[in-house]
Amino acid sequence: MSFPDGFRWGVATSAYQIEGAARLDGRSPSIWDTFAAVPGAVANGDTGDVAADHYHRWPEDVRLLVDLGVDAYRFSISWSRILPEGRGRVEQRGLDFYRRLAEALLSKGIEPFVTLYHWDLPQALEDLGGWRSRDTSGWFADYAATVHEALNDVVTKWVTVNEPYCSSIVGYGEGRHAPGAREGHGALAAAHHLLLGHGLAVQAMRANGAPGQEFGIVLNQSPTVPVTDSPADVAAASRQDCLLRRQFTDPLFGGAYPDELTSMFGAITDFSFRHDGDLAIIGEPLDYVGLNYYYRLHVADAPHREPDPAKRTAHDIGVDTTRLPDVPRTGMGWPVEPAGLTIALTDLKARHPDLPPVYVTENGCVYPDTETFEDHDRIVFLRDHIAAAEAAAGVDLRGYFCWSLLDNFEWAHGYKHRFGLIHVDYATQKRTPRASYHWYRSFIEAQRTQGR
Ligand code: BGC
């Protein structure tokens, strides 16, 4: 395979999934601390209280990154560590933690890619309405400006929001993620306010005036495929695509919300959360966009779970996504379709020819472990997906980040599913690199040699 000069090879993690130290150094609870404490919300009653204890073990994790030979490391900042009340008072110990980490990375030639919001809203702000409330967009921008002001000498690559679809529709519509709400209007308002918060945050960080800074957003992009070519299935796939992809990409890169979104949800919301001028803020030009790809969605038309259109959540769009094709599946049950990554990349570019440069900011898988951590399935998965990324002709692709460096708290699945290149024994916190870690290191090394 051959990738352009300067292409960044990396790995990704997020704060709540790896840090632990949930009550240390002034950190306040986030919506994930609250949600994980609800019986039945997370498999096995797991919480992020300790996770992979990265808050204490980060020097060892940096050594593992150095040995892996990556150019870049994508991690997220816990809003609750920086602003325990979500706004106002700044907790210096939080900023110090991320400064130490960024400095250690830089000293080893690893570029930090910082995500400001990977799903862990301070609970104090959820108590005021969370992402349903327009105020949260402004508080997010204030938080972003605070972090940016403090760290722009050691971080130049910023991601505002990770997968606003999951934070809004999965968190406030489906209720499978924090805060566990099942709403219509509220979930759609959350989606809009995440986008608005993103735009305001980019503007606020740019206003700091630091040189050489780059700003982007990360979107999950599962291409949809109708299970048959019947008009009903084709329409269902289009609704799914509208909810998951176009609700976000159209306003970000096309200056407008899709009409289909308005017609899909006219019964449950008046969209009064959209104000004049918002689209200009949401459409603030970006330096790059991050694309996360795990699987394609195979969509069939299906009866709505709630017969009364006025009572539906934003998650109930009358689709069935369980009719999978006869292809191998990962340990998550997700279909393995590397070509979906090529399609995700080329589709986005085709719909938005002026798209900024792109990074694959997450891609990875879960497979059952062998005793010696010889995860050949993961190696094949990664190799095939990297090849699929390379095949995305016409896309200005600048880097690829594997999810994830370490096994971690896999949200509602708890610790059961392991995405790491490195195995974590949660009883002892011992890290053991899997075969895929060694493979990725050799792969990156070979790419570098080829480029010389
Ligand atoms: C999220 C990660 C998550 C991964 C695997 C992505 O949607 O950004 O936090 O662990 O998928 O489910």
Side-chain angles (χ1 to χ4, degrees):
M1 288 186 239
S2 106
F3 288 86
D5 279 353
F7 193 88
R8 307 277 204 310
W9 296 101
V11 281
T13 61
S14 91
Y16 189 71
Q17 294 181 274
I18 63 166
E19 285 180 0
R23 278 168 278 276
L24 221 64
D25 291 345
R27 180 188 180 279
S28 68
S30 77
I31 53 174
W32 268 96
D33 297 276
T34 309
F35 185 67
V38 175
V42 173
N44 196 37
D46 290 342
T47 73
D49 281 1
V50 179
D53 195 30
H54 171 77
Y55 192 76
H56 295 111
R57 289 164 201 268
W58 65 268
E60 180 182 358
D61 294 338
V62 170
R63 278 197 296 278
L64 287 160
L65 285 161
V66 172
D67 286 349
L68 184 55
V70 287
D71 305 298
Y73 172 48
R74 175 175 173 239
F75 60 94
S76 84
I77 289 190
S78 156
W79 188 340
S80 313
R81 282 197 198 284
I82 310 296
L83 297 157
E85 285 91 47
R87 55 197 173 131
R89 183 178 63 86
V90 176
E91 173 52 80
Q92 189 59 39
R93 289 172 293 182
L95 288 172
D96 292 346
F97 170 70
Y98 296 108
R99 167 168 290 280
R100 282 194 295 273
L101 176 60
E103 284 178 350
L105 292 166
L106 281 182
S107 75
K108 299 292 181 186
I110 300 173
E111 186 174 26
F113 272 59
V114 166
T115 304
L116 289 158
Y117 186 71
H118 202 122
W119 306 359
D120 45 356
L121 186 72
Q123 182 61 40
L125 298 187
E126 180 59 26
D127 296 341
L128 299 174
W131 287 109
R132 301 171 194 86
S133 159
R134 193 176 175 89
D135 290 338
T136 302
S137 309
W139 292 326
F140 176 65
D142 294 345
Y143 152 66
T146 301
V147 176
H148 183 260
E149 176 92 59
L151 299 182
N152 69 56
D153 59 326
V154 283
V155 178
T156 59
K157 299 280 197 304
W158 301 88
V159 166
T160 53
V161 169
N162 177 73
E163 301 189 354
Y165 169 83
C166 291
S167 293
S168 56
I169 305 301
V170 184
Y172 289 86
E174 184 181 1
R176 191 162 51 84
H177 283 179
R182 294 191 172 85
E183 299 172 19
H185 176 85
L188 295 162
H192 181 74
H193 293 142
L194 278 149
L195 287 172
L196 182 65
H198 150 80
L200 290 170
V202 174
Q203 291 182 344
M205 292 189 283
R206 283 200 171 126
N208 279 341
Q213 304 287 305
E214 294 186 24
F215 304 100
I217 189 168
V218 165
L219 304 169
N220 49 321
Q221 297 282 282
S222 290
T224 47
V225 198
V227 294
T228 73
D229 54 14
S230 77
D233 288 341
V234 171
S238 180
R239 290 196 296 277
Q240 179 68 61
D241 188 61
C242 184
L243 184 69
L244 189 142
R245 288 203 293 176
R246 284 178 282 127
Q247 170 169 215
F248 302 95
T249 51
D250 281 14
L252 282 166
F253 306 116
Y257 275 107
D259 292 340
E260 188 174 358
L261 189 76
T262 317
S263 57
M264 276 165 66
F265 293 117
I268 59 175
T269 179
D270 57 4
F271 295 98
S272 51
F273 45 79
R274 294 180 189 166
H275 293 190
D276 285 351
D278 286 359
L279 283 167
I281 297 167
I282 293 170
E284 174 78 18
L286 297 180
D287 300 298
Y288 51 82
V289 57
L291 182 151
N292 293 352
Y293 175 76
Y294 290 92
Y295 51 80
R296 288 207 294 188
L297 280 164
H298 297 267
V299 187
D301 186 43
H304 289 275
R305 283 174 289 271
E306 166 58 60
D308 179 350
K311 288 190 191 152
R312 279 178 200 147
T313 71
H315 174 64
D316 185 2
I317 55 167
V319 303
D320 171 8
T321 55
T322 62
R323 284 168 54 186
L324 298 183
D326 189 17
V327 294
R329 310 219 187 140
T330 69
M332 297 293 282
W334 296 344
V336 180
E337 295 185 282
L341 176 53
T342 316
I343 295 167
L345 288 162
T346 52
D347 251 30
L348 189 59
K349 178 71 182 173
R351 284 185 286 135
H352 303 289
D354 295 333
L355 196 71
V358 182
Y359 291 87
V360 173
T361 34
E362 285 181 36
N363 174 237
C365 57
V366 166
Y367 284 106
D369 271 316
T370 65
E371 251 170 53
T372 50
F373 304 118
E374 298 287 331
D375 54 342
H376 292 296
D377 288 337
R378 182 177 280 108
I379 293 173
V380 172
F381 182 101
L382 295 176
R383 190 199 59 204
D384 290 354
H385 282 78
I386 291 170
E390 190 202 15
V395 176
D396 182 3
L397 187 64
R398 301 282 176 94
Y400 172 93
F401 291 77
C402 172
W403 184 270
S404 179
L405 173 68
L406 302 166
D407 290 342
N408 58 55
F409 177 80
E410 178 50 25
W411 306 114
H413 299 285
Y415 295 101
K416 193 171 104 198
H417 292 307
R418 294 170 174 273
F419 274 92
L421 296 178
I422 298 169
H423 176 269
V424 176
D425 177 343
Y426 293 111
T428 61
Q429 293 293 345
K430 182 172 183 312
R431 275 94 163 117
T432 310
R434 293 190 170 93
S436 55
Y437 172 97
H438 301 292
W439 172 83
Y440 194 41
R441 177 172 54 193
S442 313
F443 175 83
I444 295 172
E445 181 56 35
Q447 291 299 311
R448 248 179 230 137
T449 321
Q450 221 176 66
R452 276 204 283 269

